[in-house]
Amino acid sequence: MIDAHCDLLYQLWRHDYNVNQSDALQFDLEKWRASPIKVQAFAIFVPDTTPLNQQFDVALKMIDLFYEKIVLPNPDIIQIQSKLELENLQPHQLGAILTLEGCHPIGTDLNNLVRLIDEGVRIVGLTWNNNNAVSDSVMSIEGKGVSRFGEEVIQLLNAEQIWTDVSHLSVRGFDDVIDQADHVIASHSNAYRICQHRRNLTDQQIKAIIKRDGLIGVTFVPEFTKSSDFVSIDDLFEHIDHFIELGAEDQLCFGSDFDGITNTISGLENVTGYHRFKKELFDHYSRRIVNKISSENFIRKFPRIN
Ligand SMILES: [Zn+2]
């Protein structure tokens, strides 16, 4: 199975947790190895409270942590930068992909984005919940779309064969990405029809992603799943059912948001919950559909070939 979003790097930057095993982490290396997740995306997420002139340095610091704590000390963990590397992963190996959650750390300098891509970033979220030089976020009142600089960013992502991530993006920004980006992903968003949270995708947006043959990462954020104090795996299936009803079986993947959330769905408290979830997936859907959602869609669409 493949997971397109977690915030472990942020937690490692923020706290001195033991990456090998920590009860404070929803995703650590011991839990990862004990889970069915074969490939995990690790987001560089710089808090918007970081002074502007330090944000890019913090992003680079998180990349250092990715290498120092995850990739270099563990011969079984392989950094994935291309579809070829994804397909060549051996049974005993795990894959790790760098991603960016929000373009605010690059400021207005395209060279900063080039640097992150050189380091292996393969999914680029245009915004987090704050507005930046690329676009407004979904939390913005004005809700502006992609700026002129943002258009340059998308052109670079297209040229470099990198995903443009619309999770957290304003509605107008979303439409601009659909118009301009070659490779569209919503790495961690659910269906608005099922749970009316502004971070979720409307039916119209889901259909637009299907039309562009993009990807949608079903997320385990309880607030995006059901407006209730108790959220179960069954509630998550309502979202998956809805996505599939709209015709998205070739576009679905998962983006848990582990270590980016405080509250969790019952049974999905950490990455090892994927065992039970996987079993229930097979109870709900055909083997063909489960395989597509679990990994095949993500691999098939991975933009960078080698
Ligand atoms: Zn997020």
Side-chain angles (χ1 to χ4, degrees):
M1 299 181 88
I2 297 177
D3 186 293
H5 190 85
C6 84
D7 280 308
L8 174 65
L9 296 179
Y10 167 73
Q11 296 294 344
L12 295 179
W13 172 75
R14 189 86 182 76
H15 309 276
D16 192 27
Y17 294 143
N18 179 355
V19 70
N20 294 308
Q21 197 283 322
S22 168
D23 291 342
L25 291 170
Q26 296 161 352
F27 186 106
D28 58 37
L29 301 187
E30 191 177 293
K31 294 188 192 87
W32 186 9
R33 291 190 175 103
S35 83
I37 292 296
K38 174 91 174 160
V39 176
Q40 178 67 50
F42 295 93
I44 299 162
F45 166 67
V46 178
D48 61 337
T49 48
T50 307
L52 287 176
N53 62 354
Q54 294 171 25
Q55 290 186 358
F56 190 63
D57 288 339
V58 171
L60 295 180
K61 176 72 195 153
M62 289 188 194
I63 293 176
D64 288 345
L65 289 167
F66 174 77
Y67 292 120
E68 285 167 19
K69 305 260 184 183
I70 299 173
V71 177
L72 295 177
N74 299 287
D76 61 327
I77 301 177
I78 310 293
Q79 184 182 10
I80 300 292
Q81 302 193 49
S82 70
K83 184 175 184 173
L84 196 67
E85 289 170 342
L86 205 47
E87 289 170 336
N88 284 344
L89 263 189
Q90 301 301 305
H92 64 283
Q93 292 176 328
L94 298 170
I97 304 173
L98 269 177
T99 71
L100 177 66
E101 182 163 31
C103 278
H104 49 289
I106 69 167
T108 54
D109 188 349
L110 217 51
N111 289 322
N112 288 338
L113 184 57
V114 171
R115 170 79 192 273
L116 296 182
I117 294 170
D118 285 346
E119 294 285 356
V121 168
R122 291 294 176 263
I123 298 176
V124 170
L126 297 190
T127 72
W128 182 67
N129 285 337
N130 55 319
N131 302 334
N132 61 39
V134 170
S135 178
D136 274 12
S137 84
V138 73
M139 299 302 169
S140 159
I141 295 162
E142 209 184 333
K144 283 187 294 202
V146 171
S147 65
R148 288 296 291 274
F149 174 65
E151 290 177 10
E152 289 178 41
V153 164
I154 295 173
Q155 279 164 18
L156 177 65
L157 297 177
N158 289 346
E160 295 286 334
Q161 298 172 296
I162 307 291
W163 292 107
T164 300
D165 192 346
V166 296
S167 286
H168 291 280
L169 196 58
S170 69
V171 173
R172 279 162 71 186
F174 178 98
D175 292 339
D176 293 337
V177 169
I178 289 292
D179 286 344
Q180 296 169 31
D182 289 343
H183 312 285
V184 182
I185 185 172
S187 67
H188 55 304
S189 295
N190 286 339
Y192 188 87
R193 174 65 70 87
I194 305 300
C195 179
Q196 285 75 50
H197 191 290
R198 59 168 66 186
R199 274 280 286 101
N200 285 340
L201 300 164
T202 63
D203 285 3
Q204 202 186 345
Q205 290 178 319
I206 295 164
K207 285 175 189 165
I209 292 175
I210 295 170
K211 205 169 167 192
R212 294 299 320 276
D213 197 18
L215 268 184
I216 298 167
V218 174
T219 191
F220 302 167
V221 182
E223 293 82 0
F224 305 170
T225 306
K226 190 184 186 183
S227 62
S228 160
D229 289 339
F230 179 81
V231 183
S232 69
I233 289 179
D234 276 342
D235 297 318
L236 205 49
F237 280 118
E238 293 203 25
H239 290 267
I240 301 174
D241 284 344
H242 185 67
F243 283 126
I244 291 175
E245 271 167 32
L246 289 177
E249 72 173 64
D250 291 320
Q251 279 72 37
L252 290 185
C253 63
F254 298 113
S256 63
D257 211 2
F258 282 132
D259 287 322
I261 51 179
T262 332
N263 301 323
T264 54
I265 291 175
S266 177
L268 288 170
E269 285 79 12
N270 62 57
V271 65
T272 64
Y274 260 112
H275 275 300
R276 177 178 155 193
F277 181 53
K278 186 181 176 184
K279 190 182 163 296
E280 293 194 27
L281 277 169
F282 279 113
D283 293 341
H284 274 75
Y285 309 107
S286 69
R287 178 163 292 271
R288 197 176 55 87
I289 287 183
V290 177
N291 288 341
K292 280 184 187 181
I293 305 176
S294 297
S295 62
E296 286 172 9
N297 290 341
F298 188 92
I299 297 169
R300 178 173 62 84
K301 289 172 215 281
F302 201 85
R304 179 75 72 103
I305 304 304
N306 52 35

